[in-house]
Amino acid sequence: MVGFYMNLLQMRLGGSSPGIKVLLVGTHADQIDADTAKDRCEMVLRRLRSLLMLNIQHWKKEIKGAEERIEELVDLRNMSKDLTDGEDNSQEYISRLREQKEGIETRLKFLIALPEKVH
């Protein structure tokens, strides 16, 4: 559940709020002993790091896919210009792909930092 909220925050705030810090607060810690609380916090942090790494890999694949698709469309557009003088509708799609790619790159540049350790 925490991973879902971290993803949501990353998607909404990561690129627009550089340096954003998130404080995770565990509730009901008074109902378990200190060692169990620390173990659970460390487990959550490990899972969040794993999730972040998976997201980074996914976003990098999205960037690569967008770059490849843009290159294909530009090549097709250039070939079709040589063959016809018809209307070119690909530029709008290429622009949208470039915007999506830039948005993902911004998200990667301004990732929400996870804490180094549990306090």
Coordinates of all heavy atoms in Angstrom, one line a residue, residues 27-86:
T27 N 2.3 4.1 12.1 CA 1.3 4.2 13.2 C 1.2 2.9 14.0 O 1.6 1.9 13.6 CB -0.1 4.6 12.7 OG1 -0.5 3.5 11.8 CG2 -0.1 5.9 12.0
H28 N 0.7 3.0 15.2 CA 0.5 1.9 16.1 C 1.8 1.3 16.6 O 1.9 0.1 17.0 CB -0.4 0.8 15.5 CG -1.7 1.4 15.1 ND1 -2.7 1.7 16.0 CD2 -2.3 1.7 13.9 CE1 -3.8 2.2 15.4 NE2 -3.5 2.2 14.1
A29 N 2.9 2.0 16.5 CA 4.2 1.5 16.9 C 4.3 1.2 18.4 O 5.1 0.4 18.8 CB 5.3 2.5 16.5
D30 N 3.4 1.8 19.1 CA 3.3 1.6 20.6 C 2.8 0.2 20.9 O 2.9 -0.3 22.0 CB 2.5 2.7 21.2 CG 1.1 2.7 20.7 OD1 0.9 2.4 19.5 OD2 0.2 3.1 21.5
Q31 N 2.2 -0.5 19.9 CA 1.6 -1.8 20.1 C 2.6 -3.0 19.8 O 2.2 -4.1 20.0 CB 0.3 -1.9 19.3 CG -0.7 -0.9 19.6 CD -1.9 -1.0 18.7 OE1 -2.0 -1.8 17.8 NE2 -2.9 -0.1 19.0
I32 N 3.8 -2.7 19.4 CA 4.8 -3.7 19.2 C 6.1 -3.3 19.8 O 6.3 -2.1 20.1 CB 5.0 -4.0 17.7 CG1 5.3 -2.7 16.9 CG2 3.8 -4.6 17.1 CD1 5.6 -2.9 15.4
D33 N 7.0 -4.2 20.0 CA 8.3 -3.9 20.6 C 9.2 -3.1 19.6 O 8.9 -3.2 18.4 CB 9.0 -5.1 21.2 CG 9.3 -6.1 20.1 OD1 10.3 -5.9 19.5 OD2 8.6 -7.1 20.0
A34 N 10.2 -2.5 20.1 CA 11.0 -1.6 19.3 C 11.7 -2.4 18.2 O 11.9 -1.9 17.1 CB 12.1 -0.9 20.2
D35 N 12.2 -3.6 18.5 CA 12.9 -4.4 17.5 C 12.0 -4.7 16.3 O 12.4 -4.7 15.2 CB 13.5 -5.6 18.1 CG 14.7 -5.3 19.0 OD1 15.3 -4.3 18.8 OD2 15.0 -6.2 19.9
T36 N 10.8 -5.1 16.6 CA 9.8 -5.5 15.6 C 9.4 -4.2 14.8 O 9.4 -4.3 13.5 CB 8.5 -6.1 16.2 OG1 8.9 -7.2 17.0 CG2 7.5 -6.5 15.2
A37 N 9.3 -3.1 15.4 CA 9.0 -1.9 14.7 C 10.1 -1.5 13.8 O 9.9 -1.2 12.6 CB 8.7 -0.7 15.7
K38 N 11.3 -1.6 14.2 CA 12.5 -1.3 13.4 C 12.6 -2.3 12.2 O 12.8 -1.8 11.1 CB 13.8 -1.3 14.2 CG 15.0 -0.9 13.4 CD 16.2 -0.8 14.3 CE 17.3 -0.3 13.4 NZ 18.6 -0.2 14.0
D39 N 12.3 -3.6 12.5 CA 12.4 -4.6 11.4 C 11.3 -4.3 10.3 O 11.6 -4.4 9.1 CB 12.2 -6.0 12.0 CG 13.3 -6.5 12.8 OD1 14.4 -5.9 12.6 OD2 13.2 -7.5 13.5
R40 N 10.1 -3.9 10.8 CA 9.1 -3.6 9.8 C 9.4 -2.4 9.0 O 9.1 -2.3 7.8 CB 7.7 -3.4 10.6 CG 7.2 -4.8 11.0 CD 5.8 -4.6 11.6 NE 5.3 -5.9 12.2 CZ 4.2 -6.0 12.9 NH1 3.5 -5.0 13.1 NH2 3.9 -7.2 13.3
C41 N 9.9 -1.4 9.6 CA 10.3 -0.1 8.9 C 11.4 -0.4 7.9 O 11.3 0.0 6.7 CB 10.8 0.9 9.9 SG 9.5 1.6 10.9
E42 N 12.3 -1.2 8.3 CA 13.4 -1.6 7.3 C 12.9 -2.4 6.2 O 13.3 -2.3 5.0 CB 14.5 -2.3 8.1 CG 15.3 -1.4 8.9 CD 16.4 -2.1 9.8 OE1 16.4 -3.3 9.9 OE2 17.1 -1.3 10.5
M43 N 11.9 -3.3 6.4 CA 11.3 -4.1 5.4 C 10.6 -3.2 4.4 O 10.7 -3.4 3.2 CB 10.3 -5.1 6.0 CG 9.7 -6.0 4.9 SD 8.0 -6.6 5.3 CE 7.2 -5.3 6.1
V44 N 9.8 -2.2 4.9 CA 9.1 -1.3 4.0 C 10.1 -0.5 3.2 O 9.9 -0.4 2.0 CB 8.2 -0.4 4.9 CG1 7.7 0.8 4.0 CG2 7.0 -1.1 5.5
L45 N 11.1 -0.1 3.8 CA 12.1 0.7 3.0 C 12.8 -0.2 2.0 O 13.0 0.3 0.8 CB 13.2 1.2 4.0 CG 14.2 2.2 3.5 CD1 13.5 3.4 2.9 CD2 15.1 2.7 4.6
R46 N 13.1 -1.4 2.3 CA 13.7 -2.3 1.2 C 12.7 -2.5 0.1 O 13.1 -2.5 -1.1 CB 14.0 -3.7 1.8 CG 15.3 -3.8 2.6 CD 15.7 -5.2 2.9 NE 14.7 -6.0 3.5 CZ 14.5 -6.0 4.9 NH1 15.3 -5.3 5.7 NH2 13.6 -6.8 5.4
R47 N 11.4 -2.7 0.4 CA 10.4 -2.9 -0.7 C 10.3 -1.6 -1.5 O 10.1 -1.7 -2.7 CB 9.1 -3.3 0.0 CG 9.1 -4.7 0.5 CD 7.7 -5.1 1.0 NE 7.7 -6.5 1.5 CZ 6.7 -7.0 2.1 NH1 5.5 -6.4 2.2 NH2 6.7 -8.3 2.5
L48 N 10.3 -0.5 -0.8 CA 10.2 0.8 -1.6 C 11.4 1.0 -2.5 O 11.2 1.4 -3.7 CB 10.1 2.0 -0.7 CG 8.7 2.1 0.0 CD1 8.8 3.2 1.1 CD2 7.6 2.3 -1.0
R49 N 12.6 0.6 -2.1 CA 13.8 0.7 -2.9 C 13.6 -0.2 -4.1 O 14.0 0.1 -5.2 CB 15.0 0.4 -2.1 CG 15.5 1.5 -1.2 CD 16.8 1.2 -0.6 NE 17.2 2.2 0.3 CZ 17.4 2.0 1.6 NH1 17.3 0.8 2.1 NH2 17.7 3.0 2.4
S50 N 13.1 -1.5 -3.9 CA 13.0 -2.4 -5.0 C 11.9 -1.9 -6.0 O 12.1 -2.0 -7.2 CB 12.5 -3.8 -4.5 OG 13.5 -4.4 -3.7
L51 N 10.9 -1.3 -5.5 CA 9.8 -0.8 -6.3 C 10.4 0.4 -7.1 O 10.1 0.5 -8.3 CB 8.6 -0.3 -5.5 CG 7.4 0.3 -6.2 CD1 6.8 -0.7 -7.2 CD2 6.4 0.7 -5.3
L52 N 11.1 1.2 -6.5 CA 11.7 2.4 -7.2 C 12.6 1.9 -8.3 O 12.6 2.4 -9.4 CB 12.5 3.3 -6.2 CG 13.2 4.5 -6.8 CD1 12.2 5.4 -7.5 CD2 14.0 5.2 -5.8
M53 N 13.5 0.9 -8.1 CA 14.3 0.3 -9.1 C 13.5 -0.2 -10.3 O 13.9 0.0 -11.4 CB 15.3 -0.7 -8.5 CG 16.3 -0.2 -7.5 SD 17.2 1.3 -8.1 CE 18.1 0.6 -9.4
L54 N 12.4 -0.9 -10.0 CA 11.6 -1.5 -11.0 C 11.0 -0.3 -11.9 O 10.9 -0.4 -13.1 CB 10.5 -2.3 -10.4 CG 10.9 -3.7 -9.9 CD1 9.7 -4.4 -9.2 CD2 11.4 -4.6 -11.0
N55 N 10.5 0.7 -11.2 CA 10.0 1.9 -11.9 C 11.0 2.5 -12.8 O 10.7 2.9 -13.9 CB 9.4 2.9 -10.9 CG 8.1 2.5 -10.3 OD1 7.4 1.6 -10.9 ND2 7.7 3.0 -9.2
I56 N 12.2 2.7 -12.3 CA 13.3 3.3 -13.1 C 13.5 2.5 -14.3 O 13.6 3.0 -15.4 CB 14.6 3.5 -12.2 CG1 14.3 4.6 -11.2 CG2 15.8 3.8 -13.1 CD1 15.4 4.7 -10.2
Q57 N 13.6 1.2 -14.2 CA 13.8 0.3 -15.3 C 12.7 0.4 -16.3 O 12.9 0.5 -17.5 CB 13.9 -1.2 -14.9 CG 15.2 -1.5 -14.2 CD 15.2 -2.9 -13.5 OE1 14.2 -3.6 -13.6 NE2 16.3 -3.3 -13.0
H58 N 11.4 0.5 -15.8 CA 10.3 0.6 -16.7 C 10.3 1.9 -17.4 O 10.0 2.0 -18.6 CB 9.0 0.5 -15.8 CG 7.7 0.8 -16.6 ND1 7.2 -0.1 -17.5 CD2 6.9 1.9 -16.6 CE1 6.1 0.5 -18.0 NE2 5.9 1.6 -17.5
W59 N 10.6 3.0 -16.7 CA 10.6 4.3 -17.3 C 11.7 4.4 -18.4 O 11.5 5.1 -19.4 CB 10.8 5.4 -16.3 CG 9.6 5.5 -15.4 CD1 8.3 5.3 -15.7 CD2 9.6 5.9 -14.0 NE1 7.5 5.5 -14.6 CE2 8.2 5.9 -13.6 CE3 10.6 6.3 -13.1 CZ2 7.9 6.2 -12.3 CZ3 10.2 6.7 -11.8 CH2 8.9 6.6 -11.4
K60 N 12.9 3.8 -18.1 CA 13.9 3.8 -19.1 C 13.5 3.1 -20.4 O 13.8 3.5 -21.5 CB 15.2 3.2 -18.5 CG 15.9 4.2 -17.6 CD 17.2 3.6 -17.0 CE 17.9 4.6 -16.1 NZ 19.1 4.1 -15.6
K61 N 12.8 2.0 -20.2 CA 12.3 1.2 -21.4 C 11.3 2.1 -22.1 O 11.3 2.1 -23.4 CB 11.6 -0.1 -20.9 CG 12.6 -1.1 -20.5 CD 11.9 -2.4 -20.1 CE 12.9 -3.4 -19.6 NZ 12.2 -4.6 -19.1
E62 N 10.4 2.8 -21.4 CA 9.5 3.7 -22.1 C 10.2 4.8 -22.9 O 9.8 5.1 -24.0 CB 8.5 4.4 -21.1 CG 7.4 3.5 -20.5 CD 6.5 4.3 -19.7 OE1 6.5 5.5 -19.7 OE2 5.7 3.6 -19.0
I63 N 11.2 5.3 -22.4 CA 12.0 6.3 -23.1 C 12.6 5.7 -24.3 O 12.5 6.3 -25.4 CB 13.1 6.9 -22.2 CG1 12.5 7.8 -21.1 CG2 14.1 7.7 -23.0 CD1 13.5 8.2 -20.0
K64 N 13.2 4.6 -24.2 CA 13.8 3.9 -25.3 C 12.8 3.6 -26.4 O 13.0 3.8 -27.6 CB 14.6 2.6 -24.9 CG 15.3 2.0 -26.0 CD 16.1 0.8 -25.5 CE 16.8 0.1 -26.7 NZ 17.4 -1.1 -26.4
G65 N 11.6 3.1 -26.0 CA 10.6 2.8 -26.9 C 10.1 4.0 -27.6 O 9.8 4.0 -28.9
A66 N 9.9 5.1 -26.9 CA 9.5 6.4 -27.5 C 10.5 6.9 -28.5 O 10.2 7.3 -29.6 CB 9.2 7.5 -26.5
E67 N 11.8 6.8 -28.2 CA 12.9 7.2 -29.1 C 12.9 6.4 -30.4 O 13.0 6.9 -31.5 CB 14.2 7.1 -28.4 CG 14.5 8.1 -27.3 CD 15.7 7.9 -26.5 OE1 16.3 6.7 -26.5 OE2 16.2 8.8 -25.9
E68 N 12.7 5.1 -30.2 CA 12.7 4.2 -31.4 C 11.5 4.5 -32.3 O 11.6 4.6 -33.5 CB 12.6 2.7 -31.0 CG 13.9 2.3 -30.3 CD 13.9 0.9 -29.7 OE1 12.8 0.3 -29.6 OE2 14.9 0.4 -29.3
R69 N 10.3 4.7 -31.6 CA 9.1 5.0 -32.4 C 9.2 6.4 -33.1 O 8.8 6.5 -34.3 CB 7.9 5.0 -31.5 CG 6.6 5.2 -32.2 CD 6.3 3.9 -33.0 NE 5.0 4.1 -33.7 CZ 4.8 3.8 -35.0 NH1 5.8 3.3 -35.7 NH2 3.7 4.1 -35.6
I70 N 9.8 7.4 -32.5 CA 10.0 8.7 -33.1 C 10.9 8.5 -34.3 O 10.6 9.1 -35.4 CB 10.6 9.7 -32.1 CG1 9.6 10.1 -31.0 CG2 11.1 10.9 -32.8 CD1 10.1 10.8 -29.8
E71 N 12.0 7.8 -34.1 CA 12.9 7.6 -35.2 C 12.2 6.9 -36.4 O 12.4 7.3 -37.6 CB 14.1 6.8 -34.8 CG 15.2 6.6 -35.8 CD 16.4 5.9 -35.2 OE1 16.7 6.0 -34.0 OE2 17.1 5.2 -36.0
E72 N 11.4 5.9 -36.1 CA 10.7 5.2 -37.2 C 9.8 6.1 -37.9 O 9.7 6.1 -39.2 CB 9.9 4.0 -36.6 CG 10.7 2.8 -36.1 CD 9.8 1.9 -35.3 OE1 8.5 2.0 -35.3 OE2 10.3 0.9 -34.8
L73 N 9.0 6.9 -37.2 CA 8.1 7.9 -37.8 C 8.8 8.9 -38.6 O 8.3 9.3 -39.7 CB 7.2 8.5 -36.7 CG 6.2 7.6 -36.0 CD1 5.6 8.2 -34.8 CD2 5.1 7.2 -37.0
V74 N 9.9 9.4 -38.1 CA 10.6 10.4 -38.9 C 11.1 9.8 -40.2 O 11.0 10.4 -41.3 CB 11.8 11.0 -38.0 CG1 12.7 11.9 -38.9 CG2 11.2 11.9 -36.9
D75 N 11.6 8.6 -40.1 CA 12.1 7.9 -41.3 C 11.0 7.7 -42.3 O 11.1 8.0 -43.5 CB 12.8 6.6 -41.0 CG 14.1 6.8 -40.3 OD1 14.7 7.9 -40.3 OD2 14.6 5.8 -39.7
L76 N 9.8 7.2 -41.8 CA 8.7 7.0 -42.7 C 8.2 8.3 -43.3 O 7.8 8.4 -44.5 CB 7.5 6.4 -41.9 CG 7.7 4.9 -41.6 CD1 6.6 4.4 -40.6 CD2 7.7 4.1 -42.8
R77 N 8.2 9.4 -42.5 CA 7.7 10.7 -43.0 C 8.6 11.2 -44.1 O 8.2 11.7 -45.1 CB 7.6 11.7 -41.8 CG 7.0 13.0 -42.3 CD 6.9 13.9 -41.1 NE 8.2 14.3 -40.7 CZ 8.5 15.0 -39.7 NH1 7.6 15.4 -38.9 NH2 9.7 15.4 -39.4
N78 N 9.9 11.0 -43.9 CA 10.9 11.4 -44.9 C 10.8 10.6 -46.2 O 10.9 11.2 -47.3 CB 12.3 11.3 -44.4 CG 12.6 12.4 -43.3 OD1 11.9 13.4 -43.2 ND2 13.6 12.1 -42.4
M79 N 10.5 9.3 -46.0 CA 10.3 8.5 -47.2 C 9.1 8.9 -48.0 O 9.0 9.0 -49.2 CB 10.3 7.0 -46.9 CG 11.7 6.5 -46.5 SD 11.7 4.7 -46.3 CE 10.2 4.2 -45.5
S80 N 8.0 9.1 -47.2 CA 6.7 9.5 -47.8 C 6.8 10.8 -48.5 O 6.1 11.1 -49.5 CB 5.6 9.4 -46.8 OG 5.6 10.4 -45.9
K81 N 7.5 11.8 -48.0 CA 7.7 13.1 -48.6 C 8.3 12.9 -50.0 O 7.9 13.7 -50.9 CB 8.5 14.0 -47.8 CG 7.8 14.6 -46.6 CD 8.7 15.6 -45.9 CE 8.0 16.2 -44.7 NZ 8.9 17.1 -43.9
D82 N 9.2 12.0 -50.1 CA 9.8 11.7 -51.4 C 8.8 11.2 -52.4 O 8.9 11.4 -53.6 CB 11.0 10.8 -51.3 CG 12.1 11.4 -50.5 OD1 12.2 12.6 -50.4 OD2 13.0 10.6 -50.0
L83 N 7.8 10.4 -51.9 CA 6.9 9.7 -52.8 C 5.6 10.6 -53.1 O 5.0 10.4 -54.2 CB 6.5 8.4 -52.2 CG 7.6 7.4 -51.9 CD1 7.1 6.2 -51.2 CD2 8.2 7.0 -53.2
T84 N 5.2 11.4 -52.2 CA 3.9 12.1 -52.4 C 4.0 13.5 -51.8 O 4.9 13.9 -51.1 CB 2.7 11.4 -51.6 OG1 3.0 11.6 -50.2 CG2 2.6 10.0 -51.9
D85 N 3.1 14.3 -52.3 CA 3.0 15.7 -51.7 C 1.8 15.8 -50.8 O 1.3 16.9 -50.6 CB 2.9 16.7 -52.9 CG 4.1 16.8 -53.7 OD1 5.2 16.6 -53.1 OD2 4.1 17.0 -54.9
G86 N 1.3 14.7 -50.3 CA 0.1 14.6 -49.5 C 0.3 15.3 -48.1 O 1.4 15.6 -47.7

